[in-house]
Amino acid sequence: MAPACSSLTGPLTRRLPSFRGLWMSTRFVRVSSAQAQKVISRSSRRQHVLCEVPETTEQLPSVSKETWQTLVLESDIPVLVDFWAPWCGPCRLIEPTIVKLSKDYEGKLKCYKLNTDENPDITTQYGIRSIPTMMIFKDGEKKEAILGAVPESKLISSIEKFLVR
């Protein structure tokens, strides 16, 4: 019986290209939303990989230091707050999921986003150390924190715990 790896040494074996680090270009390439998520183009023996994160047509309403008390702490229904920053890729990836959930739970849950760069006082007050962080508030109190860009099912299970039936 031949060794399991013998096919790797036959005539089909070829040398793989070596990795020489990432290369970034200052050229901007427009990618339509109808095109694939990843676009690969070649330029002078270097390879560019562009990733497009689709912009959501609807965004979560923002909350700030000035509106925090009335919109979050004095709300008569549970509130989910997305602590985010514009430079954070995972934050932008999870926003469409939270927008969807805000529609699904309309009238039962309010959803807002808080820019951590513009509101350091609230960020520090609630001990936010990494983003995205989603917090659920009910009756003016923090009830649960969800760290990271988690699946929709994880957010749903956290939200369901605090909804009035």
Side-chain angles (χ1 to χ4, degrees), residues 19-154:
F19 178 74
R20 295 200 174 120
L22 294 176
W23 180 70
M24 294 174 39
S25 171
T26 55
R27 268 185 335 140
F28 291 100
V29 178
R30 276 196 189 263
V31 179
S32 71
S33 59
Q35 291 175 315
Q37 289 286 336
K38 292 184 181 180
V39 177
I40 299 175
S41 65
R42 294 198 179 271
S43 170
S44 69
R45 294 177 41 196
R46 294 185 189 240
Q47 193 173 40
H48 305 264
V49 177
L50 307 173
C51 297
E52 177 185 338
V53 176
E55 293 293 324
T56 56
T57 54
E58 295 183 45
Q59 294 184 345
L60 291 172
S62 294
V63 66
S64 65
K65 182 179 181 180
E66 293 76 29
T67 58
W68 182 261
Q69 184 71 32
T70 55
L71 294 178
V72 178
L73 300 180
E74 295 174 2
S75 176
D76 54 345
I77 60 175
V79 178
L80 183 139
V81 179
D82 175 18
F83 291 83
W84 77 291
W87 49 263
C88 171
C91 299
R92 293 185 2 214
L93 287 174
I94 198 162
E95 184 176 7
T97 303
I98 298 172
V99 168
K100 178 184 177 298
L101 291 174
S102 72
K103 289 179 187 176
D104 293 347
Y105 290 101
E106 191 171 351
K108 299 177 185 175
L109 176 77
K110 293 179 184 176
C111 296
Y112 299 105
K113 63 182 182 179
L114 181 125
N115 186 326
T116 57
D117 291 341
E118 295 174 357
N119 298 282
D121 296 343
I122 295 173
T123 303
T124 304
Q125 179 182 350
Y126 288 96
I128 304 299
R129 297 196 184 278
S130 66
I131 54 175
T133 295
M134 284 67 61
M135 285 191 178
I136 299 174
F137 292 83
K138 185 175 181 183
D139 301 324
E141 294 179 9
K142 177 183 107 173
K143 296 295 184 180
E144 187 164 344
I146 303 111
L147 305 175
V150 297
E152 182 179 348
S153 60
K154 169 67 175 147

